[in-house]
Amino acid sequence: MHPLGWAFLQLLLVAYVSHAEEPVCRQRGDPENPLLSKNGDIILGGMFSFHTSWKVRKDTYMNQPLPLQCISLNFRDLQFAQAMLFAIEKINKSTNILPGISLGYKIYDDCGSVARSIGVTLALANGSEIVFAPSKTTCTRPAYVQAIIGATSSSTTIAVATVIGPFFVPVISHFATCACLSDKTKYPSFLRTIPSDYYQSRALAHLVKYFGWTWVGAIRTNNDYGNNGMATFTETAQRLGICLEYSVSFFRTDPYAKIQRILDIIRASTSKVIVAFLARADLNVLLHEFSYHNLSGYQWVGSESWIFDSQTAALDIHHILDGAIGLSIPKAHVTGLREFILDEKPLNSSNNKLFIEFWETLFSCKFKESSSDIQRECTGHEDMTGVQNSFIDMSLMPIFNNIYKAVYAVAHALHNILSCNNTCNKNVQLDPFMVLQHIRKIYFTTKEGDEVYFNENGDPAAKYDIINWQPKENGVVEFVTVGLYDISLAAEKQLNLQSKSLIWARKTKQVPVSICSEKCSPGTRKVLQKGRPVCCYDCIRCAEGEINNITDSATCVRCLPEFWSNERRDACIKKEAVFLSYEEIMGALLTAASLFGACMTIGVIQIFFKYRKTPIVRANNSELSFLLLFSLILCFLCSLTFIGQPSDWSCMLRHVAFGITFVLCISCLLGKTMVVLMAFRATRPGSNVKKWFGQTQQRLCVTAFTLIQVNICIIWLTTSPPFPFKNFKEIKDKITLECALGSAVGFWAVLGYIGLLAILCFIFAFLARKLPDNFNEAKFITFSMLIFCAVWITFIPAYVSSPGKFSVAVEIFAILASSFGLLICIFIPKCYIILMKPENNTKKRIMGKKAPQSP
């Protein structure tokens, strides 16, 4: 064997024996190294996005992928890390908390990448150094860190909490606001010192509603923070009557075509308010394009991620976001933190590579060792005093305070576990689950007066400042606190705004208007436009009889039966009660006609009474003539009971009076007709009709016929009498006061009986039409009955079809017409003879004998 081959074989044998005696436990994959670290008795983990992006690579999957190469140094998360170092340093120097115990830290860069954050989480849980263990011992050990502070974004935090949750290592985030992280079944070890987006999203929706913006656009970051936050906002907004014209997502690594599509959507929209649930880095990418395309004039509503960020304000050189309003974590102050952050020594002492990158980016220079292409050489002694950079900006002090409180929450839990008083019990075996249980129960107040505690979901109390971007004369934007939103207060007191101090887009004091449709005024209702959101509608006038006195109502309310809508359809007014009254023209004319008929009848009575001894009056039973005239007076006067407002008594009186008087009238006519007919039959030889139809029999006949009608009326009145009735249906905007019949059978029985007597009278008169003319009164009765029947036959359809008070007028007209017909046809010819032709008023003339001719 070749000597070199033999040597190589010996080397393999030694390695095999060594491996068998001392097995090595190590992490698989590329090791993750902390950027900032310090040893201590108890180690805390930290995870921040020191870089905001990474180089895009195309993996061929033919070889093992290279580690992620992070780019774009992020001063903001460097400040977050220094806030954590500041809190740890204060605790280590304090004698009141964890005395004699030093806290160390391992802080990693997750680069804003979910994949990298998982690797960092495993490194924090297991450590990265090689472990030698006996041959029969498993590669397990207690958690490397007792708690993890971070991460910054919701997506990376979700990945961290998912991986570390089964091991119950506490994860306390200062800036991960996704409401989904409150789910303890998925993320049992997660807590945070910043309120959940569940409250922020709802608060933003209430803020939008407060200003009357019901038609808005929305842009969100395409990750868990933006998608979950916008989902809660949309749900609350819909419940508050707010509609989203569009809702688009964006992530900073999206292609330019996606940005162009967002620009086109905004330009084509009609809404003037944009709700931006965006991470700061994503908004900064969009802001550059918005400025280039001069997308100004929109009112922006922002989430806490960017609304209080001075870097975003500095990038907005074209004032696209001027007048923006949104929610921010309440202002805070941590004594000594500003000076600590501006001191570069903690960075320089922990990681030389990070310090070099930080220093070169801060002062725009290059160290000789880092680059051969030197634009300006770094000395390492540059003065920070004159630097105008986001690193020296302390506007995110509320977030720094969240990190400060998170570290102190862990420290207080450890203090309780180790039973610290003057000294701590170092023999206690720390367990992450035990630490988690104690963190959940902590309650303390910081030196600055902030109360620190967690609810059952691991969330703090939700309270937000309302921030307004107000540009000043020098072009600098000032973040002005114009209100407060406190979820712990009653619902009506949660939002407290100072609206007068607000400045809106385009530097106006007038609240912008962003609605799809103008509000519907009282008297109208909303009708949705087909295929569009509920905020887009047309305003339709309320129908007759309906009103709406509320602005922007979807329904109209029907007025009560006794009321009707006014012309504007915004109030119900009492309906006008209509009935046939004496004051109106029709009532006055009918009253005059009735009185004229009665007076005319009285005049005929006076004529007949004066000439009662004359043959023409005495012929054919003058007693019946006077009774007929009296009944005609009653017929004329009974029509007056139909005029005026109906009452219980008038309703009963009008129909009863009408029925009885007309039966009395027709009975008299029937008697007169029978007298004429029987008078001639009595002149025949052997006839005894006269004794059966004398005056007594005529009186009994009239009385009997009339009593039948009286009985019908009594039955009607006792069973179901007429009564006053308010008719709401006849005339829609008026109440028709009328008399209901009570019993229709009773009414038509009264009319039917009158009709029956009229027909009998007509038949008898018709039979007597061929008797001698000079004596015959039957032909006048026949003609009068013809008119009477014609009137009442015509009355029936006219009465049924006439509305309201006109049906009453039709009935009065029928009464008057039939009464005048009887009066004129029967008595006027006699009066004419009495007054104008007295020579014909002789017995011979009436008996049909000619008078002798004068010489």
Side-chain angles (χ1 to χ4, degrees), residues 280 283-284 287 305-306 309-316 321 469:
R280 178 187 64 88
L283 178 61
N284 291 346
L287 191 57
S305 177
W306 64 269
D309 190 86
S310 58
Q311 294 181 37
T312 301
L315 289 173
D316 187 22
L321 302 177
W469 284 34

Side-chain angles (χ1 to χ4, degrees), residues 541-547 558-559 564-566 569 732-733:
R541 195 179 187 207
C542 292
E544 290 183 334
E546 295 182 348
I547 65 150
R558 179 160 290 279
C559 294
W564 191 250
S565 56
N566 61 358
R569 304 285 201 274
K732 55 188 177 183
D733 58 343

Side-chain angles (χ1 to χ4, degrees), residues 305-600:
S305 177
W306 64 269
I307 197 67
F308 204 74
D309 190 86
S310 58
Q311 294 181 37
T312 301
L315 289 173
D316 187 22
I317 56 176
H318 290 86
H319 302 282
I320 301 297
L321 302 177
D322 279 3
I325 190 170
L327 303 178
S328 172
I329 307 304
K331 290 181 180 180
H333 176 72
V334 180
T335 305
L337 180 55
R338 173 185 169 82
E339 293 73 19
F340 185 87
I341 290 177
L342 295 179
D343 184 3
E344 75 280 1
K345 290 180 182 179
L347 294 177
N348 193 10
S349 61
S350 297
N351 187 298
N352 190 49
K353 182 180 178 182
L354 178 63
F355 173 75
I356 290 173
E357 184 180 5
F358 158 69
W359 200 262
E360 289 179 342
T361 305
L362 184 64
F363 293 103
S364 300
C365 62
K366 292 286 184 180
F367 285 99
K368 286 184 178 181
E369 295 82 359
S370 62
S371 175
S372 58
D373 184 15
I374 303 176
Q375 296 178 350
R376 189 169 72 85
E377 185 177 341
C378 295
T379 64
H381 300 288
E382 283 79 4
D383 186 10
M384 251 188 218
T385 307
V387 173
Q388 295 296 324
N389 195 286
S390 60
F391 184 77
I392 66 171
D393 176 43
M394 296 296 142
S395 62
L396 293 180
M397 187 63 74
I399 311 302
F400 303 159
N401 187 43
N402 286 346
I403 299 170
Y404 181 83
K405 291 188 290 186
V407 174
Y408 264 84
V410 176
H412 276 274
L414 293 171
H415 186 89
N416 294 334
I417 294 172
L418 299 177
S419 304
C420 296
N421 195 356
N422 293 326
T423 59
C424 297
N425 183 3
K426 296 184 179 181
N427 297 323
V428 175
Q429 182 65 43
L430 291 175
D431 174 25
F433 182 73
M434 184 190 304
V435 176
L436 176 63
Q437 294 298 99
H438 278 77
I439 292 177
R440 286 176 175 170
K441 297 176 183 178
I442 59 100
Y443 185 97
F444 65 93
T445 304
T446 65
K447 288 183 178 180
E448 286 71 26
D450 294 333
E451 295 180 340
V452 181
Y453 62 92
F454 302 98
N455 64 15
E456 65 277 7
N457 295 322
D459 298 327
K463 185 184 292 186
Y464 299 95
D465 283 342
I466 300 174
I467 303 299
N468 182 218
W469 284 34
Q470 298 189 2
K472 300 303 177 183
E473 293 181 359
N474 58 1
V476 177
V477 171
E478 182 180 356
F479 302 134
V480 179
T481 302
V482 293
L484 179 69
Y485 189 91
D486 190 349
I487 200 67
S488 64
L489 301 178
E492 64 277 5
K493 297 180 180 179
Q494 290 177 356
L495 182 61
N496 182 15
L497 261 172
Q498 301 168 3
S499 301
K500 292 182 179 179
S501 60
L502 285 166
I503 293 178
W504 303 104
R506 300 187 188 275
K507 300 182 182 180
T508 66
K509 290 279 188 178
Q510 187 69 31
V511 179
V513 176
S514 187
I515 55 177
C516 183
S517 300
E518 292 291 338
K519 290 185 177 182
C520 289
S521 60
T524 62
R525 63 182 178 89
K526 297 192 295 186
V527 176
L528 299 183
Q529 296 176 0
K530 188 175 182 180
R532 304 199 69 189
V534 295
C535 298
C536 301
Y537 48 81
D538 297 317
C539 297
I540 305 298
R541 195 179 187 207
C542 292
E544 290 183 334
E546 295 182 348
I547 65 150
N548 170 38
N549 54 10
I550 303 172
T551 301
D552 229 19
S553 175
T555 58
C556 294
V557 180
R558 179 160 290 279
C559 294
L560 294 174
E562 295 189 9
F563 294 85
W564 191 250
S565 56
N566 61 358
E567 184 63 26
R568 294 190 304 273
R569 304 285 201 274
D570 59 359
C572 288
I573 56 176
K574 194 171 181 62
K575 286 182 180 179
E576 179 188 356
V578 295
F579 52 89
L580 190 60
S581 65
Y582 296 101
E583 288 78 14
E584 60 181 297
I585 295 176
M586 185 167 56
L589 290 174
L590 292 174
T591 301
S594 176
L595 294 175
F596 176 73
C599 293
M600 187 176 174

Side-chain angles (χ1 to χ4, degrees), residues 530-800:
K530 188 175 182 180
R532 304 199 69 189
V534 295
C535 298
C536 301
Y537 48 81
D538 297 317
C539 297
I540 305 298
R541 195 179 187 207
C542 292
E544 290 183 334
E546 295 182 348
I547 65 150
N548 170 38
N549 54 10
I550 303 172
T551 301
D552 229 19
S553 175
T555 58
C556 294
V557 180
R558 179 160 290 279
C559 294
L560 294 174
E562 295 189 9
F563 294 85
W564 191 250
S565 56
N566 61 358
E567 184 63 26
R568 294 190 304 273
R569 304 285 201 274
D570 59 359
C572 288
I573 56 176
K574 194 171 181 62
K575 286 182 180 179
E576 179 188 356
V578 295
F579 52 89
L580 190 60
S581 65
Y582 296 101
E583 288 78 14
E584 60 181 297
I585 295 176
M586 185 167 56
L589 290 174
L590 292 174
T591 301
S594 176
L595 294 175
F596 176 73
C599 293
M600 187 176 174
T601 307
I602 293 172
V604 173
I605 291 175
Q606 289 177 343
I607 293 171
F608 269 51
F609 184 78
K610 182 177 180 180
Y611 297 96
R612 62 185 180 279
K613 302 293 185 179
T614 61
I616 199 168
V617 176
R618 295 182 63 186
N620 200 5
N621 197 335
S622 61
E623 183 179 336
L624 283 180
S625 296
F626 282 105
L627 184 59
L628 176 58
L629 287 169
F630 175 72
S631 65
L632 282 173
I633 293 175
L634 294 180
C635 287
F636 281 116
L637 294 178
C638 81
S639 63
L640 297 177
T641 62
F642 288 83
I643 303 174
Q645 183 172 346
S647 63
D648 290 329
W649 285 105
S650 68
C651 286
M652 289 187 289
L653 179 61
R654 64 172 60 172
H655 290 100
V656 171
F658 158 69
I660 294 175
T661 55
F662 263 81
V663 165
L664 178 61
C665 181
I666 301 301
S667 299
C668 293
L669 285 175
L670 187 59
K672 290 176 72 67
T673 307
M674 292 173 67
V675 167
V676 173
L677 191 60
M678 297 306 171
F680 283 92
R681 288 184 179 273
T683 59
R684 294 179 182 178
S687 177
N688 58 353
V689 174
K690 190 174 183 180
K691 69 175 182 177
W692 294 105
F693 210 81
Q695 289 191 355
T696 303
Q697 286 77 13
Q698 291 175 23
R699 295 191 193 102
L700 290 174
C701 181
V702 171
T703 304
F705 286 144
T706 306
L707 285 176
I708 293 173
Q709 183 74 305
V710 171
N711 287 329
I712 293 173
C713 291
I714 290 173
I715 295 171
W716 182 16
L717 294 178
T718 54
T719 55
S720 182
F723 58 90
F725 171 69
K726 293 180 179 179
N727 190 336
F728 300 109
K729 298 180 180 179
E730 198 74 55
I731 305 175
K732 55 188 177 183
D733 58 343
K734 296 178 181 179
I735 302 174
T736 304
L737 300 181
E738 57 187 34
C739 287
L741 296 177
S743 171
V745 174
F747 175 72
W748 292 110
V750 169
L751 282 184
Y753 184 66
I754 295 172
L756 176 63
L757 293 182
I759 292 171
L760 288 174
C761 186
F762 177 77
I763 292 172
F764 286 136
F766 183 78
L767 293 175
R769 73 189 185 284
K770 294 184 179 181
L771 296 178
D773 290 343
N774 291 344
F775 185 79
N776 191 3
E777 192 181 34
K779 60 182 179 180
F780 298 116
I781 296 175
T782 303
F783 188 64
S784 66
M785 283 296 100
L786 192 61
I787 295 174
F788 184 90
C789 291
V791 168
W792 286 103
I793 290 172
T794 308
F795 159 77
I796 294 173
Y799 179 81
V800 172

